[in-house]
Amino acid sequence: MNLNMTKLLGSSSFCSLMRLASLVFLCTCLSNFQAVESKPPHIVFIVADDYGWFDIGYHNSTIQTPVLDKLASQGVKLENYYVQPICSPSRSQLMTGRYQIHTGLQHFVIIAPQPNCLPLSEVTLPQKLKESGYATHLVGKWHLGFYKNECMPLQRGFDSAFGYMSGMQDYWTHFRGGPFPNFHEGNHWLGIDFWDNNRVAWEYTGNYSQFVFTERAQKVIQQHNASQPLFLYLPLQSVHGPLQVPEKYMKPYAHFNNTLRATYAGMVATMDEAVGKVVDTLKETGLWDDTVLIFTTDNGGSHGKQGVNWPLRGVKNTLWEGGVRGIGFITGPQVPAAVRGTESRQFMHISDWFPTLIRGIAGGNTSGLKLDSYDMWDTLMKGGPSPRMELLHNIDPYIRADHQYGYDDDTDMIYPIGKYPEMADEFSTDMRAAIRVGDWKLLTGMPGKKGMDRWFPPPEWNITPIYPVEVPNKVTWLFNISKDPYEKEDLSNQFPDVVKELVEKLRVYYQSSVPVRFPNQTFQADPGLHHGVWMPWA
């Protein structure tokens, strides 16, 4: 400002002008500070595959998980937390916040040769998080369909996707076979299923998947711009079959005198190690202090692949507690000190993460979406009561108590011998279903494969499984889960009015369900037609 201008304004006016400029500068700084402060935290969401309830250290397991135990002890353990009994349904409910009866995935997982995927009309979790400014990355297993490009994760809200699209594969080669039971000539197709965004990642053949996924997750974190919130979705292959692990991880469990169980325990060890490396990288890059980390199973442990759900009843692909009660915890510096190191016994389901992450953590909204889920943020962070009063575990009209079924050990698939039955107009208790309302749980039809309704202790204990009392032609079971979490005392004969009330709720849910999406498998998916690759074919 020149001398003439100063004279014109006068000293008083000049001082006022300078004070005003200083005030504007201060307000700008405060505004920028508030913008930084209001940035939502980073979210790292880790999913273990087929992980048994018993097989985490803090459940007094014979398998050691020091990293998971420590993280859980610094956050909130979820001890009344539920998932779906198999892979695709759990992942679909996480990604949409909707029951599988409302997306058509109520029968089974999405099988590689099927022209099927999570309905394209569904809004996904990463799509909603992007509305709140998140960078979204997938490292690991998708298993929500890939038969056409629109079904792939890059078209469903992820900025990057690294891993495999189907449900299972070899840990070293990243090849998988197909097709599956009841489909022509059996399990003879073989092709690679490993992707780096839109490119088939042949170069990782021969590298153990857990190590590869860990390295990619670390790279995503290291290359992330800390000024933008990060959503890292890390659905690991471990500990799904086949049972494969580098030998050094098995050695601490040689005393089991059971090679298969020792292999499974070694796979758990690689998963525990992987989570530790991801957290270390978050700390090294300065992201950890602004991170919420969530760990969950997708379903109960598979008995055929050495997963143990003791003392819960049942296994993967059953509606008993061993199939649907999930290991889970939420941790990280963003968890308030008042609830760190606690256990929450508030009722929660895997679908509840959808609104919890979008509204509770990201500060977004879910208006206009038809959800079957609840925002649990206040429940988890303040220890308040759960807004969830009931949970539909599932209704599967394709599994009926009066039909004959086969079973595929590799996929844990129950399938009718002959054609699938038609969907009925009305709910019937011969349908495979389960519902939880308050303390009560009702199961109907055939809750799981015959013989999988037992209590299976860890093989290393050398204890015989406990068999339930068989009642011919029985299609309803009722339990008070709060008093009897192990489902030992069936109360259906003592409380017929409760059975009637819960059957009516199932009938209402069934009326709201959409037709099952379970198309026939097709030769068009054969990797032999696509240069040895499992890839979109439609």
Side-chain angles (χ1 to χ4, degrees):
M1 185 176 292
N2 61 37
L3 184 60
N4 291 333
M5 183 64 72
T6 304
K7 289 181 177 179
L8 178 65
L9 291 173
S11 60
S12 172
S13 299
F14 177 73
C15 291
S16 297
L17 183 62
M18 293 303 293
R19 283 197 296 269
L20 179 61
S22 299
L23 182 60
V24 169
F25 176 77
L26 178 60
C27 289
T28 301
C29 290
L30 285 173
S31 176
N32 290 337
F33 176 76
Q34 288 169 352
V36 171
E37 285 294 294
S38 64
K39 179 183 73 67
H42 308 300
I43 302 169
V44 176
F45 199 104
I46 303 173
V47 180
D49 202 337
D50 289 6
Y51 192 22
W53 173 263
F54 173 79
D55 297 328
I56 193 165
Y58 64 77
H59 282 167
N60 298 315
S61 178
T62 51
I63 298 175
Q64 302 302 307
T65 55
V67 173
L68 294 174
D69 292 353
K70 183 177 180 180
L71 288 171
S73 71
Q74 295 169 344
V76 181
K77 299 174 185 174
L78 308 178
E79 296 297 291
N80 191 15
Y81 170 63
Y82 287 84
V83 292
Q84 294 307 111
I86 46 178
C87 300
S88 296
S90 268
R91 294 160 204 272
S92 74
Q93 297 197 35
L94 167 65
M95 285 290 146
T96 66
R98 284 163 58 76
Y99 287 147
Q100 63 203 71
I101 65 164
H102 295 144
T103 59
L105 300 177
Q106 58 266 57
H107 174 54
F108 192 56
V109 300
I110 295 173
I111 298 175
Q114 282 182 317
N116 193 16
C117 71
L118 180 69
L120 298 177
S121 58
E122 296 293 334
V123 177
T124 67
L125 176 60
Q127 287 172 334
K128 293 299 294 182
L129 289 175
K130 285 179 75 69
E131 292 178 4
S132 295
Y134 277 79
T136 57
H137 300 278
L138 163 66
V139 177
K141 171 178 171 176
W142 176 236
H143 206 189
L144 288 174
F146 65 94
Y147 80 101
K148 57 183 179 180
N149 287 325
E150 295 89 333
C151 301
M152 300 278 275
L154 291 181
Q155 281 68 50
R156 304 311 299 267
F158 286 100
D159 295 327
S160 74
F162 178 83
Y164 60 114
M165 299 297 108
S166 61
M168 61 183 293
Q169 60 172 231
D170 187 278
Y171 279 76
W172 296 97
T173 67
H174 315 303
F175 277 61
R176 60 160 300 128
F180 293 96
N182 250 10
F183 183 67
H184 302 289
E185 298 180 25
N187 188 15
H188 64 286
W189 294 357
L190 196 65
I192 191 171
D193 175 17
F194 213 69
W195 294 82
D196 190 345
N197 293 319
N198 289 317
R199 181 180 63 82
V200 181
W202 292 94
E203 68 271 25
Y204 292 99
T205 300
N207 295 303
Y208 191 70
S209 66
Q210 186 66 281
F211 304 154
V212 174
F213 292 145
T214 303
E215 290 171 3
R216 177 53 64 96
Q218 290 175 297
K219 184 176 180 181
V220 168
I221 294 166
Q222 290 162 350
Q223 295 181 347
H224 180 69
N225 182 348
S227 66
Q228 182 182 17
L230 166 68
F231 174 55
L232 173 57
Y233 177 48
L234 188 55
L236 300 172
Q237 184 173 0
S238 302
V239 287
H240 196 292
L243 295 174
Q244 297 174 321
V245 76
E247 186 176 355
K248 72 173 186 177
Y249 292 94
M250 297 171 56
K251 288 182 178 178
Y253 299 98
H255 63 283
F256 282 0
N257 295 317
N258 180 323
T259 301
L260 293 177
R261 178 67 172 162
T263 304
Y264 173 92
M267 294 164 72
V268 172
T270 68
M271 177 174 65
D272 190 68
E273 177 185 270
V275 175
K277 288 183 176 180
V278 168
V279 172
D280 287 345
T281 305
L282 288 165
K283 291 177 179 177
E284 291 164 4
T285 55
L287 270 62
W288 176 244
D289 287 343
D290 195 24
T291 293
V292 174
L293 186 145
I294 295 157
F295 181 90
T296 178
T297 50
D298 64 343
N299 47 252
S302 170
H303 176 67
K305 296 295 184 289
Q306 301 300 307
V308 174
N309 304 305
W310 179 268
L312 302 178
R313 181 177 183 176
V315 299
K316 173 185 177 179
N317 202 11
T318 75
L319 293 170
W320 304 106
E321 291 291 284
V324 297
R325 182 80 73 92
I327 296 169
F329 61 81
I330 182 169
T331 191
Q334 294 293 304
V335 174
V339 294
R340 290 179 197 165
T342 65
E343 293 183 356
S344 173
R345 298 193 178 272
Q346 295 299 319
F347 198 13
M348 184 174 178
H349 183 241
I350 191 169
S351 64
D352 297 330
W353 291 119
F354 183 88
T356 301
L357 268 58
I358 294 167
R359 295 204 299 255
I361 298 179
N365 73 80
T366 56
S367 60
L369 299 178
K370 292 183 178 180
L371 300 181
D372 299 305
S373 49
Y374 300 88
D375 180 355
M376 299 289 293
W377 187 244
D378 283 348
T379 299
L380 297 173
M381 297 299 102
K382 299 178 182 178
S386 172
R388 179 175 286 282
M389 296 291 105
E390 66 184 53
L391 169 60
L392 176 69
H393 289 295
N394 195 26
I395 302 172
D396 184 352
Y398 277 10
I399 300 292
R400 306 280 183 82
D402 58 352
H403 284 66
Q404 295 295 312
Y405 294 91
Y407 187 78
D408 179 68
D409 287 319
D410 285 332
T411 63
D412 289 301
M413 181 179 183
I414 299 173
Y415 57 95
I417 298 174
K419 293 183 177 180
Y420 282 102
E422 299 294 328
M423 283 189 67
D425 292 332
E426 287 290 328
F427 175 79
S428 170
T429 53
D430 75 339
M431 294 180 186
R432 184 183 188 184
I435 189 171
R436 171 87 177 270
V437 179
D439 295 334
W440 294 111
K441 178 182 177 182
L442 178 77
L443 302 97
T444 68
M446 188 176 74
K449 177 191 175 186
K450 187 176 176 62
M452 292 295 106
D453 57 348
R454 308 174 196 173
W455 295 266
F456 292 97
E460 56 271 20
W461 287 1
N462 295 315
I463 299 175
T464 302
I466 301 171
Y467 291 75
V469 176
E470 296 284 347
V471 179
N473 303 317
K474 186 171 179 59
V475 293
T476 58
W477 296 260
L478 179 71
F479 300 96
N480 184 316
I481 293 298
S482 294
K483 295 180 179 179
D484 179 22
Y486 312 133
E487 298 172 300
K488 294 181 177 179
E489 185 179 5
D490 173 29
L491 302 174
S492 58
N493 291 330
Q494 298 179 40
F495 296 93
D497 290 343
V498 175
V499 172
K500 183 178 179 180
E501 177 185 344
L502 298 188
V503 167
E504 173 60 19
K505 282 185 173 290
L506 286 172
R507 186 192 69 79
V508 172
Y509 275 117
Y510 186 65
Q511 291 301 313
S512 75
S513 66
V514 301
V516 175
R517 297 169 60 96
F518 198 71
N520 292 330
Q521 300 170 70
T522 173
F523 280 114
Q524 295 176 33
D526 183 353
L529 302 176
H530 308 287
H531 311 288
V533 179
W534 286 99
M535 63 183 296
W537 68 87

